[in-house]
Amino acid sequence: MSFLGDTVPWGSPTVADIPLPPFADEAEHRRYLRALQLHIALLDDAGPALPTIALGALLEPARSAPKSAWRWPSAAALSASLSTWFPAPWTPEALAETLERVNNDAPGNTGVAWRWGGDPDFSARPKDGGGWEITRHERGALEYESLRDDRDLVLFWMGYYRARFVFPLGWRYEDEDVRAMAPATRAVLAADARDAEYAYRSSWRSKRAGFLAGD
């Protein structure tokens, strides 16, 4: 079984005019966040669901941040970008530099290869004619795979650094805690179902369906 994984959207397209960090100014940062919010809303076919609205609110561009804060996405924005396979036109260099701002395990370039990880650890060496040779090393065992271009190296990194097992997914939790929350959850869901029928959400659902159908 390949260590590359079959849940990565290999070869997926990017959106060329999404700016990359470090952003030149506040307008570039704002455009990045707006594109990320739009991307997340497009992924959600539920109404959009209340958690999507909450995440969109978390990513809402700040209007009073110091100028230095506009150079880089926040840790939350970067995590949302990686976890949803945000189609910014990342280069390996741009993504590695951005990851370094929030992650001590960011890929490092030795001049010969990119290296990252602990146990296992990985390296990516450029191949003659293009693409990358990926080496996975774990306790003396070596495995090799090839990636065809920079885009797939970026996607491989996104798969490595993205948040997958956020609580409660893949975690232990107490059933009693979930049962205690369930009545409040039912009440919120009932109220939210009524709110979802308002035009600000129902019109988005119709437009989203058309966009994804290619209309």
Side-chain angles (χ1 to χ4, degrees):
M1 180 177 178
S2 170
F3 63 78
L4 294 180
D6 58 2
T7 61
V8 176
W10 301 112
S12 58
T14 63
V15 179
D17 66 349
I18 297 175
L20 294 177
F23 304 115
D25 52 30
E26 179 179 334
E28 279 199 355
H29 194 156
R30 183 178 295 274
R31 174 158 178 75
Y32 179 95
L33 292 175
R34 288 301 190 209
L36 177 57
Q37 289 171 305
L38 188 63
H39 168 66
I40 291 170
L42 280 167
L43 290 172
D44 183 3
D45 60 1
L50 194 56
T52 297
I53 295 173
L55 179 54
L58 178 65
L59 297 172
E60 186 67 15
R63 290 180 170 81
S64 59
K67 287 186 177 180
S68 59
W70 288 102
R71 297 278 290 164
W72 302 94
S74 67
L78 180 59
S79 180
S81 299
L82 300 177
S83 298
T84 62
W85 311 101
F86 182 46
W90 293 106
T91 63
E93 292 77 13
L95 183 54
E97 186 178 11
T98 306
L99 281 165
E100 188 177 5
R101 298 282 164 160
V102 297
N103 192 315
N104 292 330
D105 191 32
N109 194 332
T110 66
V112 177
W114 288 102
R115 298 186 183 279
W116 67 98
D119 185 17
D121 59 83
F122 296 85
S123 66
R125 294 176 180 268
K127 295 175 60 179
D128 293 340
W132 298 87
E133 181 181 74
I134 309 299
T135 303
R136 182 183 187 273
H137 168 254
E138 185 175 20
R139 299 177 186 178
L142 297 174
E143 298 178 78
Y144 302 93
E145 293 286 355
S146 293
L147 296 176
R148 63 182 180 178
D149 54 26
D150 285 1
R151 173 59 178 164
D152 276 352
L153 178 59
V154 163
L155 289 167
F156 187 62
W157 284 351
M158 294 176 87
Y160 181 85
Y161 289 102
R162 68 195 295 261
R164 295 176 60 199
F165 302 111
V166 296
F167 185 82
L169 307 180
W171 289 65
R172 294 183 62 184
Y173 54 85
E174 298 298 329
D175 289 353
E176 292 77 8
D177 293 340
V178 184
R179 292 191 185 96
M181 287 186 165
T185 302
R186 288 194 295 269
V188 171
L189 288 172
D192 189 61
R194 294 189 292 272
D195 189 73
E197 296 308 312
Y198 283 96
Y200 82 105
R201 288 169 72 176
S202 61
S203 63
W204 164 255
R205 289 197 298 274
S206 298
K207 289 179 180 179
R208 174 189 176 277
F211 290 135
L212 293 182
D215 295 347

